[in-house]
Amino acid sequence: MNYFSGDKIPDFLFEECLDLRRDLWKGLHKPISVRWEILQKVHDKTALEAVLKDGDRRLKKKCKLIEEPGYPNFKIPYINKSFYQLIMKRCLELK
């Protein structure tokens, strides 16, 4: 992501339910926003803006599985946000 130049958006940005991948959490009982963890490692604001300017509508999709089946008490941070919204948030942080 730090070196994105506008060629091809990385496929993982179209996985709106990436946060539900428990194998990427720090612990089975500690849900995290995998998408936000990834974006916090991006320091190139120009690359993030290039992703937003691409205009691909798939970036605005939100995960429809707010709660993972069998785990109704898990509260995953930012699960109700799209990748587009999270990228916008990260851009604001990098000002």
Side-chain angles (χ1 to χ4, degrees), residues 20-64:
L20 296 179
R21 293 228 2 231
R22 290 181 297 179
D23 59 315
L24 300 175
W25 293 357
K26 294 175 183 173
L28 281 180
H29 301 292
K30 190 164 186 151
I32 62 166
S33 173
V34 175
R35 298 172 305 145
W36 185 243
E37 293 279 321
I38 292 168
L39 290 174
Q40 285 185 308
K41 293 179 183 347
V42 178
H43 302 288
D44 185 349
K45 185 176 178 181
T46 305
L48 293 173
E49 290 172 340
V51 170
L52 294 176
K53 287 180 186 173
D54 182 89
D56 195 309
R57 292 180 183 201
R58 293 178 291 174
L59 290 172
K60 293 186 177 182
K61 288 175 70 178
K62 295 180 181 179
C63 184
K64 293 188 185 339

